[in-house]
Amino acid sequence: MENSKIKVFYIGEDTEIISPLEKSGNFEIQRKENGVAALRWLESNRGTKFDAILCNMFMRGVNGISFYNEMRHHKYLQTKTPFILISKHFRQQLRNNAYKTGIDDYYSSPLQPVRLSERIKYLNDFKNIYINNLDKVKSEKLEPYKTPFIKRAFDITLASVALILLSPVFVLTAIAIYIESPGKVFYASKRVGANFRTFDFYKFRSMYPDADKRLKEVAHLNQYKTVEVEEECSLCAALPEGQYCSPTYEDDSGKVVCERIIKMRRQAEAAFLKIENDPRITKVGRFIRNTSIDELPQLINILKGDMSFVGNRPLPVSEANALTKSERGKRLELGLRFHCAAGLTGLWQVELRGRAGKMSEEERFELDKQYALHNSFWGDMKLLFRTFFVFLRNQNV
């Protein structure tokens, strides 16, 4: 596609919409006036491949979204072929409906050949990578993860004994936390574990009670933050009102923002937020973190079956969603990073690269996937022993 014309299939009566593409000379266009004619042509030419399908929303007989559903139902639409909906005038609700249906993108007139060609190339590259990875996961026929009996029996036995033996530590820690900063001594947050299941994750509170409200005040301390984020997209600002430089989404506040801003935010915040020398942490909190005492309440999670002693660390919901941007992405990650038990300790915690907490999110994520694909009971025992020795060396794991 890089050294030849972009081959597109256009469905719609309005030739004015695609005239900019024809004039550019960079597109090879197969055209049909309506959905019925298009379906008939596709039936007779099932082997024909296109770089993209452009479909006018408003056509006689069937609209663009219904046509897309009809193509999927009859399997005329090849999985890797981008489907782009087009209308003469921009409509935000139409854009939202298109994305909810599964349509890859939405554009309004006038079409800009350069931007559209770049977008088609991007969508093809993305879908090729995604489909190849998804096919790999499907070929492995992964079923929802179930904790092996021997692993579960070990967890229950060891967690019960540990809770009894460590009960004095629980009491003393709770008293120390309350004396320094009155409030709840335990902290529960929603985490995502095996099979993308959400559960309450317990820890001793190591921060001041209003720590969550003060998160934005210390966001600049994030050791992975390297990108400045624009408040408003400069590229979108240069376009006519109602047009965006890339597909749009609603952010956490409900504001519509473009894909470029979303990517900038993700790069800046990173999928694994870790703040060095965080001023929100209490003195007692810093001690129990360095000695891993703050993790002891997770023995209760292990007894409940939310976690195991060894596995991939459960992620906060926001971070898990950052890794799994869509339902399709969720299924893909379910077969990899989340296809194992959530754990008190894991592979990346005891790797030498994890010393002093210095590890990129890419390294962590890769180790998580390695563990999910190759874990075993005896491998877990080795990781437990390694965790114990690292703890004795005071490596802050």
Side-chain angles (χ1 to χ4, degrees):
M1 189 168 67
E2 294 182 359
N3 300 318
S4 60
K5 291 185 178 181
I6 298 174
K7 189 175 182 179
V8 301
F9 186 27
Y10 172 67
I11 304 100
E13 298 179 3
D14 193 344
T15 57
E16 182 182 342
I17 288 181
I18 60 168
S19 61
L21 307 184
E22 294 176 321
K23 293 177 181 178
S24 72
N26 295 325
F27 291 82
E28 178 183 336
I29 303 174
Q30 174 70 43
R31 181 167 49 203
K32 293 296 174 182
E33 293 184 351
N34 54 62
V36 175
L39 289 174
R40 288 176 180 171
W41 189 89
L42 289 169
E43 177 65 33
S44 303
N45 299 270
R46 281 185 175 268
T48 305
K49 295 183 179 180
F50 295 96
D51 296 318
I53 295 176
L54 310 182
C55 183
N56 199 327
M57 174 60 189
F58 304 102
M59 304 181 292
R60 286 187 294 178
V62 62
N63 64 39
I65 293 178
S66 297
F67 176 73
Y68 170 78
N69 289 328
E70 191 71 13
M71 287 188 67
R72 291 182 61 188
H73 176 71
H74 291 287
K75 298 182 179 180
Y76 293 134
L77 181 61
Q78 296 183 28
T79 309
K80 297 181 181 181
T81 305
F83 188 100
I84 300 174
L85 191 67
I86 301 172
S87 67
K88 196 165 187 177
H89 303 288
F90 176 82
R91 299 185 182 186
Q92 182 61 50
Q93 188 58 47
L94 179 56
R95 179 193 286 265
N96 294 340
N97 292 340
Y99 289 158
K100 288 179 182 178
T101 304
I103 290 173
D104 295 298
D105 215 337
Y106 166 81
Y107 280 87
S108 59
S109 184
L111 297 179
Q112 300 180 24
V114 175
R115 283 182 55 202
L116 185 60
S117 63
E118 290 177 350
R119 184 61 178 168
I120 289 174
K121 290 176 182 177
Y122 170 81
L123 288 172
N124 273 282
D125 290 342
F126 173 81
K127 289 168 81 75
N128 274 323
I129 294 172
Y130 164 72
I131 296 298
N132 289 337
N133 288 338
L134 185 59
D135 289 342
K136 179 181 178 182
V137 171
K138 285 182 176 179
S139 67
E140 294 173 355
K141 297 181 180 179
L142 294 176
E143 299 293 333
Y145 175 78
K146 293 182 180 179
T147 305
F149 174 79
I150 188 173
K151 182 180 178 76
R152 181 67 184 136
F154 175 83
D155 288 339
I156 293 174
T157 302
L158 186 58
S160 299
V161 173
L163 280 170
I164 295 172
L165 296 178
L166 295 173
S167 55
V169 178
F170 271 75
V171 174
L172 292 174
T173 302
I175 294 173
I177 291 172
Y178 189 83
I179 290 176
E180 181 178 10
S181 58
K184 295 181 179 180
V185 296
F186 293 106
Y187 177 78
S189 60
K190 295 293 182 183
R191 295 294 176 99
V192 177
N195 300 323
F196 215 83
R197 187 177 71 85
T198 303
F199 64 92
D200 287 323
F201 178 82
Y202 305 123
K203 297 182 75 171
F204 276 120
R205 178 170 59 83
S206 58
M207 294 185 174
Y208 292 99
D210 62 346
D212 286 342
K213 297 178 181 179
R214 298 166 59 185
L215 179 59
K216 291 184 178 179
E217 299 176 13
V218 295
H220 64 284
L221 298 175
N222 183 355
Q223 75 179 58
Y224 299 133
K225 184 174 181 178
T226 58
V227 180
E228 293 295 327
V229 181
E230 299 175 355
E231 289 293 330
E232 301 289 340
C233 178
S234 57
L235 299 183
C236 292
L239 299 174
E241 184 177 358
Q243 292 192 22
Y244 298 86
C245 69
S246 54
T248 58
Y249 305 88
E250 287 190 1
D251 63 12
D252 294 338
S253 65
K255 180 181 178 182
V256 176
V257 295
C258 68
E259 186 177 59
R260 176 173 175 265
I261 291 294
I262 293 292
K263 288 181 177 179
M264 291 175 70
R265 289 177 181 177
R266 284 173 179 160
Q267 290 173 354
E269 297 300 332
F272 297 89
L273 178 65
K274 188 177 181 70
I275 297 174
E276 291 186 308
N277 301 319
D278 192 337
R280 300 172 300 166
I281 302 175
T282 64
K283 293 179 180 178
V284 172
R286 201 170 302 281
F287 172 78
I288 63 176
R289 284 191 175 193
N290 289 342
T291 55
S292 296
I293 292 175
D294 66 321
E295 309 280 357
L296 292 183
Q298 288 159 44
L299 292 170
I300 300 172
N301 285 120
I302 293 173
L303 273 181
K304 289 174 60 181
D306 298 327
M307 297 171 55
S308 176
F309 274 99
V310 181
N312 285 336
R313 290 298 285 169
L315 298 182
V317 175
S318 60
E319 295 177 10
N321 286 334
L323 294 175
T324 55
K325 304 177 182 66
S326 67
E327 289 299 316
R328 291 180 298 180
K330 185 179 295 184
R331 290 197 298 271
L332 177 61
E333 298 305 331
L334 177 63
L336 297 175
R337 196 254 180 232
F338 296 103
H339 195 262
C340 66
L344 186 65
T345 187
L347 182 57
W348 69 257
Q349 285 94 336
V350 295
E351 283 294 313
L352 293 179
R353 289 174 292 173
R355 289 182 176 179
K358 299 291 186 181
M359 183 181 289
S360 71
E361 67 174 84
E362 290 82 6
E363 289 175 310
R364 291 188 184 189
F365 191 51
E366 183 59 34
L367 289 174
D368 283 345
K369 289 194 293 184
Q370 286 184 25
Y371 176 81
L373 293 172
H374 306 295
N375 70 87
S376 66
F377 178 75
W378 295 114
D380 287 352
M381 295 302 100
K382 292 179 181 179
L383 285 175
L384 270 180
F385 280 112
R386 290 178 65 188
T387 299
F388 178 72
F389 288 119
V390 169
F391 171 77
L392 293 181
R393 293 170 187 167
N394 194 27
Q395 290 295 323
N396 255 347
V397 173

